[in-house]
Amino acid sequence: MSATRKPKALFIGYGHLAKSLITKKLLSFVNIHALNSKGAIKNINFKKKISKFHNDYDYIFLLIRPNTFLSFGKQFQKYLSKKTLIISCMAGVKLSTIEKTFKTKKIIRIMPNVMALNTRSQTHIYMKNKNLFDSNLKKILYYFGTITNVRNEDQINFATSVFGSGPAFIAYIVNIFIKTSKKLAKPYNVNDKDVIELFKNILETNTSSKKLDEFVSSISSKKGTTQAGINYIKSQRTEKIIYTSLYKAYKRAKEIDGSKKKTKP
């Protein structure tokens, strides 16, 4: 690749995650085309549709639904060339399956999340061949946020549950706290931002599980208001609910590669 030429990437799939990954900073470094669900390709840098066929991409990011790839993945092979490196962001689809579909071993798997929009994705990476991780790709992934290398594909399933689906789980829990606080406060007003700020302040000053435990203990006096609430939370087996939610997402990621249900691309 020329030192002066910008890398060229195709994003197959242009949903919420893809749009979170494609930031202004990334576009300053990479020429990006995106293939949407209707089969239309758009030049994201210049905001225009492309009619001419291309297969000279340095990188192809797979951001389609796993079942769509399992049923119709071969139709995307035409966009590959010998130099193309495939970066799969799909949950549950194994490297071996992608290799078989595209007849190439130039593939890595990553699990980013929507926090990439603010350069705060905690992206997990798995690859068989470490030489595939070139300097340009490293720079691209750092535009998403931080990078964590994992040793096997099952760790990608774990990352899918905690770091891929996790933001939605956390947002759901925080939103419940906001809604129930407002319900309890009636007829007084509770500002959403004030409650969100409460979460941020607690997490900024307590940066480990141990510190969080100590924080809870420090404000939970015997027969006090905090202890009354904590005791009830524990009695409802909240920890088991959270664990089961994460486990179900992890288990689903492990199951996906074996389920080839046909869906529309």
mmCIF file of all heavy atoms in Angstrom, residues 17 21 110-125 141-150 155-156 158-167 170:
data_model
loop_
_atom_site.group_PDB
_atom_site.id
_atom_site.type_symbol
_atom_site.label_atom_id
_atom_site.label_comp_id
_atom_site.label_asym_id
_atom_site.label_seq_id
_atom_site.Cartn_x
_atom_site.Cartn_y
_atom_site.Cartn_z
ATOM 1 N N LEU A 17 -24.436 0.156 14.351
ATOM 2 C CA LEU A 17 -23.040 -0.051 14.734
ATOM 3 C C LEU A 17 -22.098 0.535 13.687
ATOM 4 O O LEU A 17 -21.130 1.226 14.028
ATOM 5 C CB LEU A 17 -22.742 -1.537 14.939
ATOM 6 C CG LEU A 17 -21.287 -1.880 15.301
ATOM 7 C CD1 LEU A 17 -20.831 -1.127 16.554
ATOM 8 C CD2 LEU A 17 -21.115 -3.384 15.504
ATOM 9 N N LEU A 21 -19.205 3.484 14.143
ATOM 10 C CA LEU A 21 -17.779 3.287 13.861
ATOM 11 C C LEU A 21 -17.232 4.348 12.905
ATOM 12 O O LEU A 21 -16.066 4.746 12.996
ATOM 13 C CB LEU A 21 -17.541 1.901 13.260
ATOM 14 C CG LEU A 21 -17.914 0.678 14.115
ATOM 15 C CD1 LEU A 21 -17.668 -0.599 13.321
ATOM 16 C CD2 LEU A 21 -17.136 0.649 15.413
ATOM 17 N N ILE A 110 -13.387 -8.980 15.273
ATOM 18 C CA ILE A 110 -13.364 -7.960 16.310
ATOM 19 C C ILE A 110 -14.760 -7.804 16.891
ATOM 20 O O ILE A 110 -15.752 -8.129 16.234
ATOM 21 C CB ILE A 110 -12.855 -6.594 15.790
ATOM 22 C CG1 ILE A 110 -13.883 -5.933 14.849
ATOM 23 C CG2 ILE A 110 -11.514 -6.730 15.108
ATOM 24 C CD1 ILE A 110 -13.536 -4.498 14.488
ATOM 25 N N MET A 111 -14.826 -7.359 18.138
ATOM 26 C CA MET A 111 -16.102 -7.034 18.748
ATOM 27 C C MET A 111 -16.021 -5.616 19.315
ATOM 28 O O MET A 111 -15.575 -5.398 20.425
ATOM 29 C CB MET A 111 -16.463 -8.035 19.852
ATOM 30 C CG MET A 111 -17.825 -7.764 20.520
ATOM 31 S SD MET A 111 -19.220 -7.457 19.383
ATOM 32 C CE MET A 111 -19.252 -8.986 18.445
ATOM 33 N N PRO A 112 -16.409 -4.621 18.488
ATOM 34 C CA PRO A 112 -16.479 -3.247 18.974
ATOM 35 C C PRO A 112 -17.868 -2.993 19.561
ATOM 36 O O PRO A 112 -18.697 -3.909 19.620
ATOM 37 C CB PRO A 112 -16.269 -2.437 17.696
ATOM 38 C CG PRO A 112 -16.908 -3.287 16.625
ATOM 39 C CD PRO A 112 -16.774 -4.733 17.078
ATOM 40 N N ASN A 113 -18.131 -1.782 19.994
ATOM 41 C CA ASN A 113 -19.489 -1.431 20.394
ATOM 42 C C ASN A 113 -19.824 -0.008 19.971
ATOM 43 O O ASN A 113 -18.976 0.725 19.452
ATOM 44 C CB ASN A 113 -19.726 -1.656 21.900
ATOM 45 C CG ASN A 113 -18.863 -0.774 22.787
ATOM 46 O OD1 ASN A 113 -18.627 0.396 22.510
ATOM 47 N ND2 ASN A 113 -18.389 -1.348 23.883
ATOM 48 N N VAL A 114 -21.060 0.384 20.188
ATOM 49 C CA VAL A 114 -21.554 1.676 19.685
ATOM 50 C C VAL A 114 -20.884 2.869 20.350
ATOM 51 O O VAL A 114 -21.006 3.998 19.863
ATOM 52 C CB VAL A 114 -23.084 1.784 19.863
ATOM 53 C CG1 VAL A 114 -23.804 0.772 18.982
ATOM 54 C CG2 VAL A 114 -23.483 1.610 21.328
ATOM 55 N N MET A 115 -20.136 2.635 21.433
ATOM 56 C CA MET A 115 -19.419 3.729 22.080
ATOM 57 C C MET A 115 -18.277 4.253 21.209
ATOM 58 O O MET A 115 -17.650 5.262 21.525
ATOM 59 C CB MET A 115 -18.881 3.289 23.445
ATOM 60 C CG MET A 115 -19.948 2.802 24.412
ATOM 61 S SD MET A 115 -21.284 3.986 24.661
ATOM 62 C CE MET A 115 -20.416 5.311 25.485
ATOM 63 N N ALA A 116 -18.020 3.578 20.095
ATOM 64 C CA ALA A 116 -17.006 4.043 19.140
ATOM 65 C C ALA A 116 -17.348 5.436 18.621
ATOM 66 O O ALA A 116 -16.464 6.177 18.190
ATOM 67 C CB ALA A 116 -16.889 3.067 17.974
ATOM 68 N N LEU A 117 -18.609 5.780 18.650
ATOM 69 C CA LEU A 117 -19.051 7.097 18.200
ATOM 70 C C LEU A 117 -18.309 8.212 18.939
ATOM 71 O O LEU A 117 -18.061 9.282 18.393
ATOM 72 C CB LEU A 117 -20.559 7.246 18.409
ATOM 73 C CG LEU A 117 -21.223 8.515 17.851
ATOM 74 C CD1 LEU A 117 -21.081 8.572 16.332
ATOM 75 C CD2 LEU A 117 -22.691 8.566 18.247
ATOM 76 N N ASN A 118 -17.931 7.923 20.208
ATOM 77 C CA ASN A 118 -17.187 8.882 21.022
ATOM 78 C C ASN A 118 -15.753 8.410 21.289
ATOM 79 O O ASN A 118 -15.133 8.813 22.277
ATOM 80 C CB ASN A 118 -17.916 9.110 22.346
ATOM 81 C CG ASN A 118 -19.316 9.644 22.144
ATOM 82 O OD1 ASN A 118 -19.502 10.628 21.448
ATOM 83 N ND2 ASN A 118 -20.305 8.994 22.728
ATOM 84 N N THR A 119 -15.250 7.520 20.400
ATOM 85 C CA THR A 119 -13.916 6.927 20.545
ATOM 86 C C THR A 119 -13.781 6.223 21.893
ATOM 87 O O THR A 119 -12.723 6.267 22.531
ATOM 88 C CB THR A 119 -12.803 8.005 20.400
ATOM 89 O OG1 THR A 119 -13.179 8.932 19.383
ATOM 90 C CG2 THR A 119 -11.476 7.379 19.978
ATOM 91 N N ARG A 120 -14.845 5.538 22.325
ATOM 92 C CA ARG A 120 -14.830 4.874 23.621
ATOM 93 C C ARG A 120 -15.228 3.398 23.546
ATOM 94 O O ARG A 120 -15.601 2.797 24.550
ATOM 95 C CB ARG A 120 -15.746 5.612 24.607
ATOM 96 C CG ARG A 120 -15.202 6.982 24.988
ATOM 97 C CD ARG A 120 -16.016 7.637 26.070
ATOM 98 N NE ARG A 120 -15.429 8.913 26.467
ATOM 99 C CZ ARG A 120 -15.944 9.714 27.389
ATOM 100 N NH1 ARG A 120 -17.061 9.373 28.014
ATOM 101 N NH2 ARG A 120 -15.352 10.847 27.697
ATOM 102 N N SER A 121 -15.141 2.834 22.359
ATOM 103 C CA SER A 121 -15.376 1.394 22.244
ATOM 104 C C SER A 121 -14.218 0.644 22.897
ATOM 105 O O SER A 121 -13.060 1.043 22.778
ATOM 106 C CB SER A 121 -15.477 0.981 20.776
ATOM 107 O OG SER A 121 -15.516 -0.424 20.640
ATOM 108 N N GLN A 122 -14.549 -0.444 23.593
ATOM 109 C CA GLN A 122 -13.530 -1.348 24.137
ATOM 110 C C GLN A 122 -13.502 -2.571 23.229
ATOM 111 O O GLN A 122 -14.160 -3.565 23.491
ATOM 112 C CB GLN A 122 -13.873 -1.700 25.583
ATOM 113 C CG GLN A 122 -13.776 -0.499 26.528
ATOM 114 C CD GLN A 122 -14.604 -0.679 27.787
ATOM 115 O OE1 GLN A 122 -15.833 -0.578 27.771
ATOM 116 N NE2 GLN A 122 -13.939 -0.949 28.910
ATOM 117 N N THR A 123 -12.747 -2.451 22.148
ATOM 118 C CA THR A 123 -12.790 -3.426 21.057
ATOM 119 C C THR A 123 -11.900 -4.627 21.344
ATOM 120 O O THR A 123 -10.717 -4.479 21.627
ATOM 121 C CB THR A 123 -12.357 -2.757 19.738
ATOM 122 O OG1 THR A 123 -13.187 -1.618 19.490
ATOM 123 C CG2 THR A 123 -12.460 -3.731 18.578
ATOM 124 N N HIS A 124 -12.496 -5.822 21.256
ATOM 125 C CA HIS A 124 -11.755 -7.071 21.452
ATOM 126 C C HIS A 124 -11.443 -7.677 20.080
ATOM 127 O O HIS A 124 -12.283 -7.637 19.174
ATOM 128 C CB HIS A 124 -12.556 -8.041 22.314
ATOM 129 C CG HIS A 124 -12.615 -7.630 23.752
ATOM 130 N ND1 HIS A 124 -13.234 -6.466 24.151
ATOM 131 C CD2 HIS A 124 -12.116 -8.215 24.881
ATOM 132 C CE1 HIS A 124 -13.118 -6.356 25.472
ATOM 133 N NE2 HIS A 124 -12.446 -7.392 25.929
ATOM 134 N N ILE A 125 -10.225 -8.224 19.947
ATOM 135 C CA ILE A 125 -9.732 -8.707 18.656
ATOM 136 C C ILE A 125 -9.227 -10.133 18.775
ATOM 137 O O ILE A 125 -8.515 -10.472 19.723
ATOM 138 C CB ILE A 125 -8.563 -7.832 18.156
ATOM 139 C CG1 ILE A 125 -8.924 -6.347 18.176
ATOM 140 C CG2 ILE A 125 -8.133 -8.239 16.760
ATOM 141 C CD1 ILE A 125 -7.725 -5.454 17.945
ATOM 142 N N LEU A 141 -8.519 0.887 14.173
ATOM 143 C CA LEU A 141 -9.203 0.380 15.361
ATOM 144 C C LEU A 141 -9.035 1.309 16.556
ATOM 145 O O LEU A 141 -9.922 1.388 17.417
ATOM 146 C CB LEU A 141 -8.712 -1.027 15.698
ATOM 147 C CG LEU A 141 -8.993 -2.104 14.642
ATOM 148 C CD1 LEU A 141 -8.588 -3.474 15.155
ATOM 149 C CD2 LEU A 141 -10.449 -2.101 14.213
ATOM 150 N N TYR A 142 -7.922 2.029 16.615
ATOM 151 C CA TYR A 142 -7.743 2.998 17.702
ATOM 152 C C TYR A 142 -8.668 4.201 17.542
ATOM 153 O O TYR A 142 -8.936 4.906 18.521
ATOM 154 C CB TYR A 142 -6.278 3.439 17.802
ATOM 155 C CG TYR A 142 -5.451 2.548 18.696
ATOM 156 C CD1 TYR A 142 -4.287 1.932 18.230
ATOM 157 C CD2 TYR A 142 -5.825 2.306 20.020
ATOM 158 C CE1 TYR A 142 -3.526 1.101 19.051
ATOM 159 C CE2 TYR A 142 -5.074 1.480 20.842
ATOM 160 C CZ TYR A 142 -3.930 0.888 20.354
ATOM 161 O OH TYR A 142 -3.194 0.067 21.176
ATOM 162 N N TYR A 143 -9.156 4.431 16.334
ATOM 163 C CA TYR A 143 -10.176 5.469 16.152
ATOM 164 C C TYR A 143 -11.486 5.061 16.836
ATOM 165 O O TYR A 143 -12.299 5.914 17.188
ATOM 166 C CB TYR A 143 -10.434 5.725 14.670
ATOM 167 C CG TYR A 143 -9.412 6.619 14.008
ATOM 168 C CD1 TYR A 143 -8.659 6.162 12.934
ATOM 169 C CD2 TYR A 143 -9.194 7.926 14.447
ATOM 170 C CE1 TYR A 143 -7.715 6.972 12.314
ATOM 171 C CE2 TYR A 143 -8.254 8.752 13.832
ATOM 172 C CZ TYR A 143 -7.520 8.267 12.767
ATOM 173 O OH TYR A 143 -6.580 9.078 12.162
ATOM 174 N N PHE A 144 -11.684 3.749 17.024
ATOM 175 C CA PHE A 144 -12.883 3.271 17.715
ATOM 176 C C PHE A 144 -12.765 3.464 19.232
ATOM 177 O O PHE A 144 -13.760 3.679 19.922
ATOM 178 C CB PHE A 144 -13.137 1.786 17.444
ATOM 179 C CG PHE A 144 -13.313 1.414 16.000
ATOM 180 C CD1 PHE A 144 -13.207 0.090 15.602
ATOM 181 C CD2 PHE A 144 -13.576 2.377 15.033
ATOM 182 C CE1 PHE A 144 -13.376 -0.272 14.275
ATOM 183 C CE2 PHE A 144 -13.743 2.033 13.704
ATOM 184 C CZ PHE A 144 -13.635 0.700 13.322
ATOM 185 N N GLY A 145 -11.547 3.317 19.763
ATOM 186 C CA GLY A 145 -11.317 3.380 21.211
ATOM 187 C C GLY A 145 -10.131 2.530 21.605
ATOM 188 O O GLY A 145 -9.107 2.521 20.914
ATOM 189 N N THR A 146 -10.253 1.771 22.684
ATOM 190 C CA THR A 146 -9.161 0.907 23.140
ATOM 191 C C THR A 146 -9.236 -0.465 22.476
ATOM 192 O O THR A 146 -10.277 -0.856 21.949
ATOM 193 C CB THR A 146 -9.194 0.732 24.669
ATOM 194 O OG1 THR A 146 -10.447 0.116 25.037
ATOM 195 C CG2 THR A 146 -9.050 2.064 25.382
ATOM 196 N N ILE A 147 -8.100 -1.194 22.516
ATOM 197 C CA ILE A 147 -8.000 -2.508 21.879
ATOM 198 C C ILE A 147 -7.553 -3.546 22.904
ATOM 199 O O ILE A 147 -6.616 -3.315 23.662
ATOM 200 C CB ILE A 147 -6.983 -2.477 20.720
ATOM 201 C CG1 ILE A 147 -7.441 -1.528 19.611
ATOM 202 C CG2 ILE A 147 -6.751 -3.874 20.152
ATOM 203 C CD1 ILE A 147 -6.391 -1.310 18.531
ATOM 204 N N THR A 148 -8.224 -4.699 22.899
ATOM 205 C CA THR A 148 -7.828 -5.826 23.741
ATOM 206 C C THR A 148 -7.696 -7.067 22.859
ATOM 207 O O THR A 148 -8.651 -7.460 22.185
ATOM 208 C CB THR A 148 -8.863 -6.108 24.852
ATOM 209 O OG1 THR A 148 -8.999 -4.948 25.671
ATOM 210 C CG2 THR A 148 -8.436 -7.294 25.702
ATOM 211 N N ASN A 149 -6.507 -7.670 22.840
ATOM 212 C CA ASN A 149 -6.300 -8.910 22.086
ATOM 213 C C ASN A 149 -6.711 -10.110 22.940
ATOM 214 O O ASN A 149 -6.371 -10.162 24.124
ATOM 215 C CB ASN A 149 -4.828 -9.042 21.691
ATOM 216 C CG ASN A 149 -4.429 -8.043 20.620
ATOM 217 O OD1 ASN A 149 -4.812 -8.171 19.466
ATOM 218 N ND2 ASN A 149 -3.657 -7.044 21.009
ATOM 219 N N VAL A 150 -7.432 -11.046 22.343
ATOM 220 C CA VAL A 150 -7.851 -12.243 23.068
ATOM 221 C C VAL A 150 -7.212 -13.478 22.462
ATOM 222 O O VAL A 150 -6.757 -13.455 21.311
ATOM 223 C CB VAL A 150 -9.398 -12.383 23.092
ATOM 224 C CG1 VAL A 150 -10.032 -11.169 23.756
ATOM 225 C CG2 VAL A 150 -9.956 -12.580 21.685
ATOM 226 N N GLN A 155 -13.465 -16.204 23.751
ATOM 227 C CA GLN A 155 -13.341 -14.915 24.428
ATOM 228 C C GLN A 155 -14.040 -13.804 23.647
ATOM 229 O O GLN A 155 -14.474 -12.815 24.230
ATOM 230 C CB GLN A 155 -11.863 -14.580 24.645
ATOM 231 C CG GLN A 155 -11.201 -15.417 25.736
ATOM 232 C CD GLN A 155 -9.740 -15.048 25.924
ATOM 233 O OE1 GLN A 155 -8.894 -15.357 25.093
ATOM 234 N NE2 GLN A 155 -9.443 -14.380 27.021
ATOM 235 N N ILE A 156 -14.175 -13.989 22.338
ATOM 236 C CA ILE A 156 -14.963 -13.041 21.541
ATOM 237 C C ILE A 156 -16.446 -13.189 21.895
ATOM 238 O O ILE A 156 -17.190 -12.197 21.943
ATOM 239 C CB ILE A 156 -14.737 -13.259 20.034
ATOM 240 C CG1 ILE A 156 -13.328 -12.803 19.641
ATOM 241 C CG2 ILE A 156 -15.770 -12.513 19.199
ATOM 242 C CD1 ILE A 156 -13.104 -11.290 19.663
ATOM 243 N N PHE A 158 -17.538 -14.018 24.837
ATOM 244 C CA PHE A 158 -17.639 -13.311 26.111
ATOM 245 C C PHE A 158 -17.698 -11.801 25.884
ATOM 246 O O PHE A 158 -18.533 -11.093 26.465
ATOM 247 C CB PHE A 158 -16.442 -13.656 26.999
ATOM 248 C CG PHE A 158 -16.249 -12.717 28.162
ATOM 249 C CD1 PHE A 158 -17.027 -12.833 29.299
ATOM 250 C CD2 PHE A 158 -15.305 -11.698 28.088
ATOM 251 C CE1 PHE A 158 -16.869 -11.945 30.358
ATOM 252 C CE2 PHE A 158 -15.134 -10.813 29.147
ATOM 253 C CZ PHE A 158 -15.925 -10.936 30.285
ATOM 254 N N ALA A 159 -16.816 -11.295 25.014
ATOM 255 C CA ALA A 159 -16.786 -9.864 24.714
ATOM 256 C C ALA A 159 -18.091 -9.402 24.076
ATOM 257 O O ALA A 159 -18.563 -8.288 24.318
ATOM 258 C CB ALA A 159 -15.604 -9.543 23.801
ATOM 259 N N THR A 160 -18.700 -10.275 23.270
ATOM 260 C CA THR A 160 -19.994 -9.968 22.655
ATOM 261 C C THR A 160 -21.042 -9.711 23.728
ATOM 262 O O THR A 160 -21.819 -8.755 23.646
ATOM 263 C CB THR A 160 -20.446 -11.121 21.748
ATOM 264 O OG1 THR A 160 -19.473 -11.315 20.713
ATOM 265 C CG2 THR A 160 -21.803 -10.840 21.124
ATOM 266 N N SER A 161 -21.042 -10.563 24.750
ATOM 267 C CA SER A 161 -22.016 -10.438 25.835
ATOM 268 C C SER A 161 -21.773 -9.191 26.684
ATOM 269 O O SER A 161 -22.672 -8.378 26.885
ATOM 270 C CB SER A 161 -21.962 -11.684 26.718
ATOM 271 O OG SER A 161 -22.743 -11.511 27.886
ATOM 272 N N VAL A 162 -20.538 -9.041 27.189
ATOM 273 C CA VAL A 162 -20.249 -7.985 28.169
ATOM 274 C C VAL A 162 -20.024 -6.625 27.512
ATOM 275 O O VAL A 162 -20.561 -5.614 27.963
ATOM 276 C CB VAL A 162 -19.025 -8.367 29.029
ATOM 277 C CG1 VAL A 162 -18.660 -7.231 29.982
ATOM 278 C CG2 VAL A 162 -19.324 -9.643 29.819
ATOM 279 N N PHE A 163 -19.228 -6.591 26.424
ATOM 280 C CA PHE A 163 -18.855 -5.314 25.824
ATOM 281 C C PHE A 163 -19.667 -4.959 24.578
ATOM 282 O O PHE A 163 -19.786 -3.783 24.237
ATOM 283 C CB PHE A 163 -17.359 -5.319 25.487
ATOM 284 C CG PHE A 163 -16.486 -5.440 26.699
ATOM 285 C CD1 PHE A 163 -15.957 -6.678 27.073
ATOM 286 C CD2 PHE A 163 -16.211 -4.342 27.484
ATOM 287 C CE1 PHE A 163 -15.156 -6.800 28.194
ATOM 288 C CE2 PHE A 163 -15.419 -4.449 28.613
ATOM 289 C CZ PHE A 163 -14.888 -5.683 28.978
ATOM 290 N N GLY A 164 -20.211 -5.980 23.899
ATOM 291 C CA GLY A 164 -21.050 -5.723 22.732
ATOM 292 C C GLY A 164 -22.486 -5.420 23.125
ATOM 293 O O GLY A 164 -23.041 -4.367 22.801
ATOM 294 N N SER A 165 -23.095 -6.354 23.871
ATOM 295 C CA SER A 165 -24.474 -6.174 24.341
ATOM 296 C C SER A 165 -24.548 -5.371 25.628
ATOM 297 O O SER A 165 -25.569 -4.757 25.927
ATOM 298 C CB SER A 165 -25.122 -7.549 24.578
ATOM 299 O OG SER A 165 -25.150 -8.311 23.402
ATOM 300 N N GLY A 166 -23.442 -5.368 26.390
ATOM 301 C CA GLY A 166 -23.406 -4.719 27.692
ATOM 302 C C GLY A 166 -23.894 -3.284 27.730
ATOM 303 O O GLY A 166 -24.653 -2.904 28.643
ATOM 304 N N PRO A 167 -23.499 -2.426 26.769
ATOM 305 C CA PRO A 167 -23.989 -1.050 26.799
ATOM 306 C C PRO A 167 -25.511 -0.951 26.824
ATOM 307 O O PRO A 167 -26.072 -0.076 27.500
ATOM 308 C CB PRO A 167 -23.418 -0.456 25.504
ATOM 309 C CG PRO A 167 -22.138 -1.200 25.302
ATOM 310 C CD PRO A 167 -22.456 -2.617 25.734
ATOM 311 N N ILE A 170 -26.689 -1.990 30.398
ATOM 312 C CA ILE A 170 -26.414 -0.918 31.364
ATOM 313 C C ILE A 170 -27.378 0.242 31.161
ATOM 314 O O ILE A 170 -27.934 0.790 32.128
ATOM 315 C CB ILE A 170 -24.951 -0.451 31.247
ATOM 316 C CG1 ILE A 170 -24.011 -1.574 31.714
ATOM 317 C CG2 ILE A 170 -24.702 0.815 32.067
ATOM 318 C CD1 ILE A 170 -22.558 -1.363 31.350
#
